[in-house]
Amino acid sequence: MGSSGKRLLTRLMALVMLVMLSGKFTACEPEDWMLQIDCADCFSYKPDSANLIVNLTINAENDSVPLTFYLGDYEDGVIDWQDTATTEEFLLYSKMDSRYTVRATYLSGDRIIEAFDSDKMTIYNANEECGSPCYIVKGGIYDLRLLE
């Protein structure tokens, strides 16, 4: 193999490595970037429900934030739950394996700002990593904080 062939093979190998590594960093959710298993998060049974976690901005102008939980996409218009949050973390016990879209409504002077996020809670079977039985809830985390 000549030097140009070796150079091409080296570049091809570098490209393959880059593509393989980039797959780890293109996921949408922070918990998907690296599949870190914490066996302390295990359930000994397969839960059918868990807490959705909504992160919010609570400040002087927005000491309470109206929330609307949609089953599926916002465009489908299927309202599952409405509530008002008064803390920066809001929990809602919801069924597993369902996609929820959450809308938070903020005030900014005389303007209304709506923030949306969508996610799905799933179960990861971590029996191999942690011993049997071990089920870990993934997803169901919504970031609806205002930008600074």
Side-chain angles (χ1 to χ4, degrees):
M1 182 181 290
S3 74
S4 65
K6 287 181 183 177
R7 218 178 352 221
L8 178 62
L9 184 59
T10 302
R11 287 182 182 170
L12 184 59
M13 292 293 286
L15 180 62
V16 167
M17 290 297 289
L18 179 65
V19 168
M20 288 174 56
L21 288 174
S22 68
K24 275 294 203 190
F25 302 103
T26 58
C28 295
E29 297 300 323
E31 67 268 11
D32 293 335
W33 290 347
M34 290 186 182
L35 188 57
Q36 295 179 344
I37 302 299
D38 184 351
C39 296
D41 294 335
C42 286
F43 287 87
S44 60
Y45 59 93
K46 188 174 182 178
D48 62 358
S49 301
N51 280 325
L52 301 176
I53 302 168
V54 182
N55 296 304
L56 302 157
T57 298
I58 300 294
N59 56 27
E61 189 171 23
N62 295 283
D63 60 350
S64 62
V65 178
L67 300 173
T68 304
F69 292 79
Y70 297 88
L71 190 54
D73 295 324
Y74 167 74
E75 293 81 11
D76 297 338
V78 180
I79 296 174
D80 186 61
W81 188 260
Q82 291 183 303
D83 212 326
T84 301
T86 57
T87 59
E88 291 186 340
E89 183 178 86
F90 183 89
L91 304 176
L92 180 65
Y93 197 69
S94 301
K95 67 180 180 175
M96 200 63 61
D97 291 322
S98 294
R99 174 164 295 285
Y100 289 93
T101 302
V102 183
R103 178 181 69 183
T105 305
Y106 293 99
L107 296 176
S108 179
D110 60 350
R111 296 182 339 177
I112 294 176
I113 298 173
E114 292 182 319
F116 292 86
D117 197 2
S118 184
D119 199 8
K120 180 179 181 177
M121 278 191 302
T122 58
I123 291 291
Y124 176 75
N125 184 334
N127 289 349
E128 282 187 28
E129 295 89 348
C130 300
S132 182
C134 174
Y135 299 97
I136 297 176
V137 175
K138 294 289 185 183
I141 301 170
Y142 304 85
D143 187 355
L144 296 171
R145 294 174 291 187
L146 293 172
L147 298 176
E148 297 294 322

